[in-house]
Structures are given as C-alpha cells and as structure tokens.
Amino acid sequence: MSFDPARMVPAMRALRFEKTGSLDELKLTDIARPMLAEGEVLIQVKAAAINPSDIKNVLGKMHETSLPRTPGRDFAGVIVEGPPDVVGSSVFGTGGDLGFGRDGSHAEYIAVPAAVAVPISKGISFESAATLGLPFITAYAALVSAAGLRSEETILITGTTGAVGRAAVSIAASLGATVLGTARSASKIPRADAMPVAHWIDLESDELPVKVREATGGRGADVVFDLIGGGMFEKCLASLAHRGRQVAIASGPERRVSFDLIAFYHNESRLLGVDSLKLSFEETGAILRELSSGLEKGVYPPPSIEEPIQVFPLEQGVQVYRDLAEGRIRQKAVLVP
C-alpha cells in the first residue's frame, strides 16, 4: 500500500486523562489534531482558563465525562480552519459538553461549533478573554434566564468576589438592580470603587438575614444568588423578600441541606437550580455575543487588577492543576500553549 503523507493528521500537545479519580491521571501528551465536522471551526488556542469544574472533571466528579478526554471549558484563540470569512478571526468561547463529552481547550487546537466562537472585543487580550466565558454564562443563566432579575429589584450575591460573583455583579448592575455582596471578613471587602455593590455584608461578624433586612428596610432580597451552598443555603432563604427567588449553582462538601419548610411556603419563596453544563453551544453562543456587545460598550468590565490572572505555559498544566487543587494558587490560572 502506498503511503500518502497528505493524509497524515498533524499532532498537537494536549493535557489528557484516560482514567479519573486522581490528578495523577492527567498527563501532557501528543494526540492527533481534531478533525472538523460540519458546522465546526478549528481554533488555535492562545489561552485557556482552568475552572474548578476542570479539576473536578479529572477527579471523576463530573458524571457527564466520557474517556479518554482533554479537559478545558474556556478558550480564546484564532480560527485557522473553517468558512473563509471567519478564518483569521480572534474568538473566545465556552459551553456545551466541551471538556466532558468532547475534547476541551487545554491543548494547542480545539474544534468547536462555529456558533460558540465569538469575536473578542477590541482591547481584550487572549488571556483575559479566556476567563470570561464560563463565569458570565453561569451568571447570566442564573440572573436573567432563571431568576428574571428586574431593574427595580435587590439581589444578594454570595461569593461576590469570585469569578462568577463578579460577573453576576456586572450583569445585575447593568440591569439596574441594587446589589448586596458578601465577604468572608471585613478585610476581604474590596475598595468602594472596585465593584458596583451598594452594601457589603461581613460574614465573619454579621448575621446574614439580619443585615440583608437592615439594608432593604426590612423587606429582604428579591433575588439571592447563592454561590456557596452548604451552611449558607438556609441563611440565604431566610434573607428572601416575599415571593423572592433563590438560585443555587453550588454545594458544599455536604450535599444535603435543611430549612424551615413552613417559613419557606408562607413566604411563597421560589428555589431554582442552574447547571451551566445544560446550556447548548447555541445558547452559550447567544449569551456570549450579548456579553461581547456589553464589553464593547463598557457595560461589563473586563478582568482588571482586582481580578489578577496568573499565566502558565501548557507544559506546566499538570502542576498548575495540582497547585490549584491544593490551594497554592489563589488567582485565576490561564494556560498558554
């Protein structure tokens, strides 16, 4: 049989795991560059953030995952193959089953549906763009799609200074809502001009429901976006105004929570769950295009010195996963192939 070098599939470097349960399963290896299916584009990855769910993925805590797999949900890069009118475009994206049911962004190249490759706004670096996708689609799905937050309402956001919390603050403020934020201690409260938060609550010394009602004239929050779960869950419910909506996206180590059911239904409270993994590529792309427009107009501020990014080469990816899991890295980590 004759050998046709034109039929060879180029190789690329990628983080890869063939089993789950330990970060020891994650390796840097050479695999075939992805082949495009109809409606897809090939992106040369310039930057890819590491999210907590990427680490959970390798540890076997994400039941959606099929093996072997390259992890990574967020990406930014340049389209190198696809329709001629988009080749050469700088794009970012996230969503769908990226990193779980199909290979993710912690590699030199990634193939994604064209719908989810969104142009990067002017002035935003690849590294910054790579951190925007998952936090903003999660916050948008919670505040807009699930809770239906309105301009005259007050929202309490726990975990306010994290990536999703900051995205939620930006979205809530852009809608005209009044934002209440939380911090683990008084020393963790950002400076006054860092975020559009009307009132901060110090969780170390303040009782959350009491302080929320003090800040709202006794009414409570119309919406609570709980990014912590666990012991915070019931306190958040107790902070709701009549017919308020609470959105949960996370859990503490103990998955089960308890609350006063009679108080819950007398308050006519609503409890909503949001899972960003359930968003399709089309839904994600639509959210990101709206986000991109907001970035252009200055509605959503890009990552700043308040949200420092730590950049690492892909070759250090395995160690970065370990350092993040063990708390040695506190900043947002971004891999650069």
Side-chain angles (χ1 to χ4, degrees), residues 44-51 73-78 90-93 105-106 120-136 163 295 301-304 307-314 331-337:
Q44 182 180 12
V45 178
K46 297 295 186 179
I50 302 178
N51 292 290
R73 301 179 70 179
D74 283 342
F75 67 86
V78 176
S90 296
V91 295
F92 76 112
S105 60
H106 296 165
I120 296 175
S121 301
K122 294 178 181 178
I124 306 297
S125 68
F126 286 118
E127 293 81 4
S128 291
T131 70
L132 294 174
L134 186 58
F136 269 94
L295 284 168
S304 66
E307 326 168 58
I309 297 170
Q310 199 163 349
V311 179
F312 302 89
L314 181 64
Q331 298 166 322
K332 188 73 172 181
V334 174
L335 298 179
V336 175

Side-chain angles (χ1 to χ4, degrees), residues 75-119:
F75 67 86
V78 176
I79 297 177
V80 294
E81 188 176 333
D85 60 325
V86 298
V87 170
S89 301
S90 296
V91 295
F92 76 112
T94 191
D97 59 352
L98 202 58
F100 303 100
R102 63 188 294 153
D103 285 337
S105 60
H106 296 165
E108 291 182 308
Y109 293 87
I110 186 173
V112 297
V116 81
V118 178

